[in-house]
Every structure is written in C-alpha cells, then in structure tokens.
Amino acid sequence: MKILLTGSTGYIGKRILPLLLEEGHEVICCVRDKNRFFYPEKYSANVRLLEVDFLQYKSVETIPNDIDAAYYLIHSMSSADNYDELERISASNFKKKINDTSARQIIYLSGIVNDKSLSKHLASRKAVEEILKSGKTPTTTLRAGIIVGSGSASFEIIRDLVHKLPVMITPKWLNTKCQPIAIADVLEFLMKSLLNPKTYNASFDIGGPDILTYKEMLLEFAKIKKLKRFIYTLPVMTPKLSSYWLYFITSTSFKLASALVSSMRVEVVCRDNRINELLDIKPMSYRHALQKAIVKIDQDEVASSWKDAQISGQFKGSISYYLKVPKKDCFIDRRKRKIINRDYTIAKIWSIGGETGWYYGDWLWGLRGFIDKLFGGVGVRRGRTNKHDIHAGDALDFWRVVYANKEEGKLILYAEMKLPGEAWLEFKIFNNTLYQAATFKPSGILGRLYWYAVLPFHGFIFNGMINKLID
C-alpha cells in the first residue's frame, strides 16, 4: 500500500514510520525540511520525501493522487500564539488535496475532548477533526490524553519534577483526572486502524486501564524510582504561575508549558473502550508504561523526542539557511589541534553536551544556560535524545544540530539561546587536524558589547574544550 505520512519528523511520526516500512508499505513522508529527516538506509527503496508546507496550498498540491491512506499527525501547539488558526489552515489544505486523491482513509491523532469547557489546545484539536471529517474521504480519529513514553513531553515533565523536587508546592490542577496511555499502545491503535473499515467515519477515545490524577502519576513515578516525594496543592497558583513553574523546573519551553497547563485543567478520561475490543488491543497499565520508558532511556534507545521538534526552541525556517555559517561582519574564535586518534575524537565530538557535558568549564555552560532560561530561552535542560548519536534537526542543550556527518568529520551547531545576534559552533577534521570555530554575528551595538563581555571566558572554555577533544 502507498501511505502518506505527515508529521514525519515529529514524535509520533518518527516512531510509526519504521512500523509501516516493516509491514512492506511504501511511505510518502511529508516534511518541511529534507535536511531534518533521517531514516535507516535499508528502507530507502520504500521511502519518498516531499517538502510540503501545509499552510500553502500550492505546496500541498505536490502530494501524489495515487495514495491508499493518509496519517494526519500535524500539530502546531506552542509554535505561535495563533497556532489554532494555523492548524485550521493546515487541515483545510490537507482535506482539499486528499479529496482529489484515491485515498480510502485519513487517520488523525487528536486529544480527548469530552469536556464542555475546552482549553485552546483541545478546542483546536476538535476543530481540526471537524474539518477533516467534512471531506469526502472516510476519517478515523483516535483521541488520546497523556502519552507516556521515552522522549514524550508528558513523561519528561513527570521525570524532571520527581527527580528535582523532593517537596512540591503545586497548582490545584494536579488533582485533575486523566487516563494516560503508553506510546506503544498509541502506535498499535494507529497501525491496526489502517484501512480497517470498522474504524471508518468514527472517533474513538484511546487510553490505558488506569484513571489517575496528575499527582498520582507523579507519585507512581517516584515509587518506581524509589524516591520519597511530598506533594501539596495550592488553589492560589494561577495558570501563568503554573506555566512558569513548569518552565523553570522542567525542560519544556514556556509556550509549550502554557499550552499544557491550560489542557491539564481539563479532565481527559475515555468515555468508552469499544475500540479496544474492536481492534483486539489490551493497553498496558500506567506503571508498565513508565517502566518501559525508563528502560529505553537507561539503554539509550529513545526513538524520538519532543525536544527535537522545532517548537522546543527558537529555530525557525530551513536548516539550509543555518548551514551557511557567515564570515563577513562576524566575530570568530578559531582553534586547531593535531589529532592523535580520529575515531576517538569523532566519538567525543558526537557525545558532546547533555549528560556528558562540554568537557571543560561545565559550570560556566550551566550558568549560561540558567541565564538563558531567566530571559525566556531554552537553557541547557533539553539535553540530547541519544548519548552518542546525533542527526540534523536534533536539540543539543541550547544548540540545534544543523549538520552532522561522521565520515566527513564535520558537525555544525546553531545557538538557540537568547542572544543579541546569531551564533554557530563548528567542528571539522581535515588532514589529521581538528578545526574548531565559534562564530558570532552581532546584531547592532548590543551584539558587539555582548561579544567583548564574554570574550575573556572564550579563551578559557574553547581552548580547554578542544584540548579535551583530542586527549
């Protein structure tokens, strides 16, 4: 079958792609930027890439007509203040194009919307569902609440809060009930719904067997990790204060924290479980889902992470723009060293950041991240998805990977921290020499003052770092 997959570089898209390929489907992956897309070489014969901007109908027209089914996994939550309007435009353009194809089904992953007073996020999901259903192609909507899995935003927030706070003074929405579901079960529902006539023109709530409050979810994680935690809820914490609370304690961005807080005040519980019997699926418990996620993280096998989505930082537009590291009107800190062992140096470069750190002056990197967080930046809490492997588009602390090629021995990072200008960090091996360059393109006088203010630290940090990369 020929399957159209939107949101191919997203948290769900990255996980369902290999499942579709393993079943022998030909998959047309819609991406905004081909440079951000990575998949195993063994699947190349059955993968076709299309650069599509669903906000522009002319771009959407490039989708072929001879498809059998389409997954709609596009979400713009926290990408902009008017993300609900953007989601409606994307859905309308998608529906219009799919109407002209031979597709027999659209599968849409939405959120549980059984409350009369919906958050902006959930109301937007419902609006998208109505738009897709208004087309002529049979639509299957799977509505999920909290998705629990390694790399999911919900799981990362739970993990951060429990690990960092022995005592939590929390907002009252922690007493809201929800029905979490494991990422493995979400994927099974998505796969078993594919071209299944029993699911056509219907909406289903999907969830695990446990109905819990967010407080109970935190305490269950603490129990698994054998951590003693105390949680007290207060009615005085406003949504804005709650958003700041999540933003400063966890790795989430402020926009995403705001969207999540507004949704977490709404009860998201499945109204019925008929799809479980319909597709013969028995979802795992919340505890089991947590245990699986923890194992994946411990084994460094996180398949995808919300952090790698563009909405997790300040990164905008195509990677192609950021690949062109400027030279004119820039300040550049250049260093080079003869390398002793190429494989050793490559391994150290590809492991930089996250839990590994930056090899020299880590406390200064941490301080810079804290300052960035205070000014609304991403800080260093995002870390990295994999400890030893990186690809273009990945988040790496307060950097974004724009180019990574081990054979070439070249890595380029673009800074997503709050800066009066733009910054790049580049590593390149050529003729048995490691070249390291930190480039800063200042924005006005403030940018120039910033460069000279941090210049004394550069000699200390960058010199120490390049030495450690070859030792």
Side-chain angles (χ1 to χ4, degrees), residues 227-409:
L227 297 170
K228 203 167 186 178
R229 293 295 182 260
F230 301 92
I231 303 176
Y232 305 96
T233 58
L234 294 178
V236 295
M237 290 189 76
T238 65
K240 192 166 187 178
L241 280 175
S242 298
S243 300
Y244 278 116
W245 179 70
L246 279 185
Y247 170 64
F248 280 107
I249 300 301
T250 73
S251 58
T252 186
S253 66
F254 182 73
K255 283 185 177 180
L256 183 56
S258 299
L260 289 173
V261 165
S262 66
S263 296
M264 286 174 174
R265 292 182 295 151
V266 178
E267 191 171 282
V268 284
V269 177
C270 298
R271 286 166 289 189
D272 64 70
N273 295 320
R274 61 193 170 99
I275 192 172
N276 295 4
E277 186 176 344
L278 189 68
L279 299 182
D280 191 25
I281 296 174
K282 187 178 180 181
M284 68 184 74
S285 68
Y286 172 65
R287 182 178 181 84
H288 189 190
L290 285 179
Q291 290 170 330
K292 285 195 69 172
I294 291 168
V295 168
K296 288 292 185 183
I297 291 170
D298 290 343
Q299 295 177 347
D300 199 24
E301 294 179 351
V302 181
S304 64
S305 172
W306 75 273
K307 299 172 188 175
D308 296 329
Q310 290 188 13
I311 60 172
S312 72
Q314 314 297 322
F315 195 76
K316 306 296 180 188
S318 170
I319 280 180
S320 299
Y321 166 79
Y322 301 97
L323 274 171
K324 302 168 187 173
V325 182
K327 298 292 184 288
K328 186 179 180 182
D329 299 324
C330 292
F331 295 109
I332 306 176
D333 182 293
R334 290 190 178 94
R335 299 175 191 274
K336 64 180 181 178
R337 296 286 189 278
K338 284 290 182 182
I339 60 175
I340 302 166
N341 184 316
R342 187 182 190 278
D343 290 341
Y344 173 83
T345 297
I346 286 287
K348 293 204 76 172
I349 293 172
W350 254 250
S351 301
I352 204 165
E355 294 179 9
T356 302
W358 294 83
Y359 301 120
Y360 201 81
D362 275 350
W363 68 274
L364 284 172
W365 289 94
L367 177 62
R368 182 64 184 88
F370 176 73
I371 294 171
D372 187 53
K373 200 83 170 175
L374 288 177
F375 283 88
V378 296
V380 294
R381 290 195 181 121
R382 291 186 309 183
R384 49 183 293 160
T385 300
N386 189 288
K387 293 177 184 176
H388 306 293
D389 203 10
I390 44 180
H391 303 284
D394 287 359
L396 203 167
D397 291 341
F398 45 53
W399 302 90
R400 180 74 63 173
V401 181
V402 296
Y403 189 80
N405 188 316
K406 276 188 175 181
E407 291 183 10
E408 191 179 341

Side-chain angles (χ1 to χ4, degrees), residues 388-445:
H388 306 293
D389 203 10
I390 44 180
H391 303 284
D394 287 359
L396 203 167
D397 291 341
F398 45 53
W399 302 90
R400 180 74 63 173
V401 181
V402 296
Y403 189 80
N405 188 316
K406 276 188 175 181
E407 291 183 10
E408 191 179 341
K410 187 175 181 179
L411 175 68
I412 303 176
L413 308 177
Y414 176 80
E416 292 195 287
M417 67 189 91
K418 293 289 186 179
L419 289 169
E422 295 181 286
W424 288 260
L425 182 59
E426 182 178 3
F427 302 96
K428 180 172 62 178
I429 294 177
F430 183 71
N431 285 341
N432 214 38
T433 301
L434 171 63
Y435 295 86
Q436 175 185 289
T439 302
F440 181 67
K441 186 177 181 180
S443 178
I445 187 66

